Structure formats: C-alpha cells, structure tokens
Amino acid sequence: MSTDIQTIRKIAHLARLEFNEEKEQEVLQDLNKILNWVDQLRQLDTEHVAPLIHMSEEVNVLREDEPRNTITHEQALLNAPKKDSDYFRVPKVLE
C-alpha cells in the first residue's frame, strides 16, 4: 500500500499543516514506511494470541487514603495573598 503526493496534500489541508515540496516528499516517504509496516503486521497470524489487557504485569501498590492535616490552619493562611481573620479572601464570582 502506498500513497501519493495528492493524498499528503489533502491530509495536510485537513490537519491545517503547510509543507514545502521537500517536506512533502519526506512526509510521503515516512507515511509509506508506516503503511508498509502496518501491512507487515496484517500478515501475522494472531488467531491464537490472547488479547493484551495490560501493558505489564506490574500491580500498583497504593497506600490507604487517610485524611490528615499536614499544616495548620494558621500556616495555610500565611501563604494567602489576602485573608480576612480565619478565611481566604477571593474575588467575588457571583453577582
């Protein structure tokens, strides 16, 4: 399977890409290499191959999600650009 320069120009137009003639030829060669590789994959017999569910056998080991305070309320307010007693001051979002 191979493509021609008109196909490259149509794809470039749809993708809103612009190539000069030299780049068009490079893209054409690269796309033809990709399509030839895909054709080779199609020829493989995969009838007795189990579908791949996960990329690896690794299992995520996650810690328990336990709520806890890592800083105090006062420490958090120290980083606030604006504050009002015990609260953060933010711009009004509703009118």
Side-chain angles (χ1 to χ4, degrees), residues 51-61:
L52 182 65
I53 297 173
H54 298 287
M55 292 303 292
S56 70
E57 300 294 325
E58 299 290 325
V59 177
N60 286 337
V61 179

Side-chain angles (χ1 to χ4, degrees), residues 32-82:
N32 282 329
K33 286 179 186 176
I34 292 169
L35 293 175
N36 289 335
W37 182 73
V38 170
D39 280 340
Q40 289 178 4
L41 289 177
R42 283 189 188 143
Q43 294 172 8
L44 294 175
D45 180 21
T46 59
E47 189 170 324
H48 301 289
V49 177
L52 182 65
I53 297 173
H54 298 287
M55 292 303 292
S56 70
E57 300 294 325
E58 299 290 325
V59 177
N60 286 337
V61 179
L62 304 174
R63 65 174 170 77
E64 290 295 320
D65 190 14
E66 299 171 359
R68 59 183 174 193
N69 291 331
T70 56
I71 62 173
T72 65
H73 187 78
E74 293 77 22
Q75 289 172 327
L77 285 174
L78 289 175
N79 293 322
K82 293 183 182 177

Side-chain angles (χ1 to χ4, degrees), residues 4-17:
D4 59 359
I5 201 71
Q6 293 301 326
T7 305
I8 295 296
R9 288 179 181 156
K10 184 175 181 180
I11 292 170
H13 173 73
L14 292 172
R16 305 295 190 258
L17 299 173

